[in-house]
C-alpha cells in the first residue's frame, strides 16, 4: 500500500508530475535543453519576485548552501542557527576552511531583528546565513523583520535557507534584499529529491569574483557564467528528467493554481494543524513564529510514536518523528507542496481514531 507522505520531505508528488520524469531524454547541450532551463528560470523569477539570476543544481539544497557560504565569504560569516539545519550550515563553513561564527537560539525559538543587529553592528562579518524555516522545530524566522536590519549593512551578503518554505511561503527576494535564496525539489515545490535552485544577486556575483577558492562543482559564479555565456546551459550533466518535471510543475503553479493561491493554501493547512495540535497536544515552537509548512508537536500524551505511525501506515498515511534530540519528545506533520486540505483533515481524523482522541 502506498502511504501518503505528511513528512518534511520527500513530499507526496502528483502522478502527472512523476510521469514527466519518464519522458525520452534529450542532449543536455542542445537548444531544447537551453529552452527548458530558460523556462524554469523565468517561472522561478515570478515565484521568488526577483529580477536577479536563478541557478539550478543537480543536488540537494545542501549543495547550494555549501556553495553559497564558500563562494561569497571574503572576511567572516555569521551563521544564525535555530536548529539542526542552521548547525549544518556552520559545519559546512568550518569544513571548507571558511572563517565563521555561529549564533544559536534554543530549539523552538526564532531570532529577533534586535539580536541580528547586535551581531552585525560589530562590523566583523561580510556574509550571514539564516534558516527561514527550521523543520526540526517548526519555527519560521521573521525574515521580513530581519531583512530590515540587514538592509542597513550594504556590504553583507544575505543568504537564506528556504529549502522547506520557498514556493509554500511568499518570499519577495528583491524587496527583502536577499542575495542568495536556496530551496530544493522535494519540499514545497512538489518533486522527487535531486534538484535544488537558488537566486544569485548582482551583489553576490561581485563578491564571488573576489573570492579565490570557491570550489568547483558548487562554485556559484561558475554556474552563473555558464548560464550567461552558454545560453542557459549547465556546466556539468544535469538531471534532464527532473527538469522536465520541474518545468511542468512550475507552469502548473504559475498558470493553474496561482502563486498567491498556493501560498494561501499552505497558510490554511498550517492553521488547521496548529488548531488540532493545540486541542489535543501542545505546539513545540513559539506561537509567534510558527511554520507555514510543518508543525512540530510536543508529545505531552507520551504516545508510542512507532505504534501511531505503524497504524497510520496500515491506513495509507505517514508522519514524522521528532528530529535529532527531539525524537519521541515531539512528532511532526508536514503540510506542504500539493498536499490538500481534504487529505490533511483525513489524516487528522485517522490519528484521532487511532489514539481515541475524540
Amino acid at each position: 500500500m502506498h502511504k501518503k507522505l505528511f513528512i518534511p520531505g520527500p513530499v507526496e508528488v502528483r502522478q502527472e508530475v512523476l510521469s514527466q520524469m519518464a519522458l525520452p531524454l534529450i542532449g543536455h547541450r542542445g537548444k531544447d535543453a537551453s529552452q527548458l532551463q530558460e523556462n524554469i528560470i523565468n517561472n522561478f523569477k515570478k515565484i521568488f519576485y526577483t529580477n536577479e539570476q536563478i541557478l539550478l543544481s543537480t543536488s540537494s539544497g545542501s549543495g547550494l548552501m555549501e556553495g553559497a557560504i564558500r563562494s561569497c565569504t571574503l572576511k567572516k560569516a555569521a551563521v544564525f542557527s535555530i536548529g539542526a539545519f542552521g548547525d549544518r550550515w556552520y559545519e559546512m563553513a568550518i569544513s571548507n576552511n571558511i572563517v565563521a561564527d555561529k549564533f544559536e537560539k534554543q530549539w523552538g525559538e526564532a531570532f529577533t531583528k534586535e539580536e541580528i543587529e547586535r551581531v552585525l553592528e560589530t562590523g566583523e562579518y561580510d556574509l550571514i546565513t539564516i534558516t527561514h524555516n527550521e523543520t526540526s522545530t517548526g519555527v519560521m524566522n521573521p525574515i521580513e523583520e530581519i531583512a530590515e536590519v540587514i538592509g542597513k549593512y550594504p556590504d553583507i551578503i544575505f543568504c537564506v535557507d528556504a529549502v522547506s518554505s520557498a514556493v509554500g511561503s511568499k518570499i519577495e527576494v528583491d524587496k527583502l534584499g536577499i542575495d542568495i535564496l536556496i530551496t530544493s525539489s522535494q519540499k514545497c515545490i512538489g518533486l522527487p529529491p535531486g534538484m535544488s535552485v537558488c537566486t544569485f544577486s548582482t551583489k553576490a556575483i561581485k563578491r564571488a569574483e573576489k573570492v579565490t577558492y570557491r570550489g568547483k562543482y558548487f562554485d556559484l559564479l561558475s554556474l552563473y557564467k555558464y548560464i550567461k555565456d552558454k545560453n542557459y546551459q549547465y556546466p556539468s550533466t544535469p538531471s534532464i528528467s527532473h527538469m522536465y518535471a520541474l518545468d511542468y510543475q512550475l507552469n502548473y503553479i504559475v498558470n493553474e493554481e496561482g502563486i498567491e493561491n498556493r501560498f494561501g493554501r499552505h497558510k490554511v493547512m498550517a492553521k488547521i494543524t496548529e488548531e488540532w495540535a493545540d486541542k489535543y497536544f501542545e505546539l513545540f515552537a513559539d506561537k509567534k513564529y510558527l511554520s507555514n509548512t510543518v508543525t512540530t508537536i510536543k508529545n505531552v500524551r507520551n504516545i508510542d510514536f512507532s505504534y501511531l505511525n505503524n497504524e497510520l501506515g496500515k491506513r495509507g498515511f505517514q508522519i514524522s518523528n521528532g528530529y535529532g534530540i527531539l525524537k519521541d519528545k515531539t512528532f511532526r506533520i508536514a503540510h506542504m507542496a500539493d498536499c490538500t486540505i481534504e487529505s490533511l483533515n483525513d489524516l487528522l481524523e485517522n490519528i484521532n481514531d487511532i489514539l481515541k482522541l475524540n
Side-chain angles (χ1 to χ4, degrees):
M1 177 190 293
H2 170 66
K3 299 176 186 177
K4 288 184 180 178
L5 300 178
F6 291 86
I7 62 176
V11 296
E12 196 70 15
V13 180
R14 294 187 298 132
Q15 188 59 48
E16 308 95 287
V17 176
L18 288 173
S19 66
Q20 295 297 307
M21 299 187 74
L23 292 174
L25 294 174
I26 56 175
H28 63 280
R29 290 290 174 245
K31 291 182 180 179
D32 289 343
S34 292
Q35 186 62 60
L36 184 61
Q37 181 154 306
E38 184 178 7
N39 292 344
I40 290 168
I41 285 171
N42 287 338
N43 273 329
F44 268 126
K45 286 184 176 182
K46 295 173 185 175
I47 294 169
F48 294 152
Y49 301 87
T50 184
N51 292 313
E52 301 286 6
Q53 187 58 64
I54 302 289
L55 309 179
L56 300 181
S57 175
T58 298
S59 70
S60 68
S62 295
L64 289 179
M65 288 169 64
E66 183 164 322
I69 201 164
R70 178 164 180 165
S71 296
C72 294
T73 305
L74 196 59
K75 184 169 58 175
K76 187 193 284 189
V79 178
F80 293 92
S81 175
I82 57 170
F85 295 94
D87 290 349
R88 179 179 294 184
W89 222 337
Y90 177 72
E91 290 160 6
M92 290 171 177
I94 298 306
S95 63
N96 279 282
N97 204 31
I98 303 298
V99 181
D101 290 329
K102 182 170 68 168
F103 302 90
E104 298 179 85
K105 292 297 295 267
Q106 184 173 324
W107 283 34
E109 296 180 358
F111 275 100
T112 65
K113 62 181 181 181
E114 291 80 12
E115 289 169 326
I116 301 291
E117 180 132 47
R118 280 198 291 271
V119 173
L120 299 189
E121 67 186 4
T122 65
E124 291 184 41
Y125 306 98
D126 63 354
L127 179 144
I128 81 153
T129 74
I130 194 158
T131 311
H132 180 221
N133 189 75
E134 177 59 62
T135 54
S136 62
T137 63
V139 170
M140 184 172 278
N141 266 315
I143 203 74
E144 292 84 3
E145 296 175 18
I146 290 168
E148 291 176 15
V149 172
I150 296 171
K152 300 177 184 179
Y153 301 89
D155 292 334
I156 288 178
I157 301 298
F158 184 14
C159 303
V160 178
D161 165 7
V163 166
S164 61
S165 57
V167 193
S169 295
K170 186 173 185 177
I171 307 172
E172 297 179 84
V173 167
D174 289 358
K175 180 180 177 182
L176 299 178
I178 297 171
D179 295 297
I180 304 174
L181 180 86
I182 301 164
T183 193
S184 56
S185 58
Q186 80 281 10
K187 306 283 188 177
C188 298
I189 294 173
L191 256 66
M195 181 156 277
S196 55
V197 59
C198 73
T199 63
F200 195 46
S201 72
T202 301
K203 187 168 79 170
I205 292 166
K206 290 178 180 178
R207 169 64 61 74
E209 288 172 343
K210 298 176 182 177
V211 176
T212 304
Y213 300 108
R214 298 184 303 270
K216 182 62 178 176
Y217 190 77
F218 294 118
D219 175 5
L220 300 193
L221 188 63
S222 175
L223 287 171
Y224 162 73
K225 286 182 175 180
Y226 232 86
I227 290 172
K228 182 171 179 266
D229 298 340
K230 304 290 185 180
N231 189 29
Y232 293 97
Q233 286 285 313
Y234 187 81
S236 53
T237 306
S239 174
I240 294 293
S241 299
H242 276 89
M243 291 171 69
Y244 280 145
L246 187 55
D247 184 45
Y248 180 90
Q249 179 73 332
L250 294 181
N251 280 326
Y252 166 79
I253 291 168
V254 171
N255 300 314
E256 293 188 44
E257 180 175 24
I259 301 169
E260 293 289 345
N261 290 337
R262 192 174 185 86
F263 298 151
R265 177 170 55 80
H266 279 75
K267 285 184 177 180
V268 171
M269 293 190 298
K271 187 70 173 174
I272 290 169
T273 312
E274 289 158 11
E275 289 178 351
W276 175 86
D278 251 346
K279 181 177 180 180
Y280 296 111
F281 291 90
E282 188 178 329
L283 291 163
F284 179 77
D286 185 329
K287 287 189 176 182
K288 297 191 296 293
Y289 305 109
L290 294 173
S291 167
N292 288 340
T293 60
V294 59
T295 300
T296 300
I297 302 161
K298 284 186 182 180
N299 187 8
V300 292
R301 291 174 176 263
N302 293 317
I303 62 169
D304 182 337
F305 178 79
S306 294
Y307 166 77
L308 171 60
N309 223 13
N310 284 337
E311 291 300 310
L312 282 172
K314 295 173 185 177
R315 303 180 184 208
F317 301 96
Q318 183 179 343
I319 61 174
S320 185
N321 203 334
Y323 190 93
I325 60 174
L326 298 180
K327 184 177 181 180
D328 293 325
K329 298 176 183 177
T330 64
F331 61 95
R332 296 173 294 162
I333 297 175
H335 29 81
M336 62 175 77
D338 295 320
C339 173
T340 65
I341 294 167
E342 293 74 19
S343 64
L344 177 62
N345 281 326
D346 194 14
L347 167 72
L348 298 178
E349 288 170 9
N350 273 276
I351 295 175
N352 287 350
D353 185 52
I354 293 167
L355 298 179
K356 305 294 189 288
L357 296 180
N358 287 330

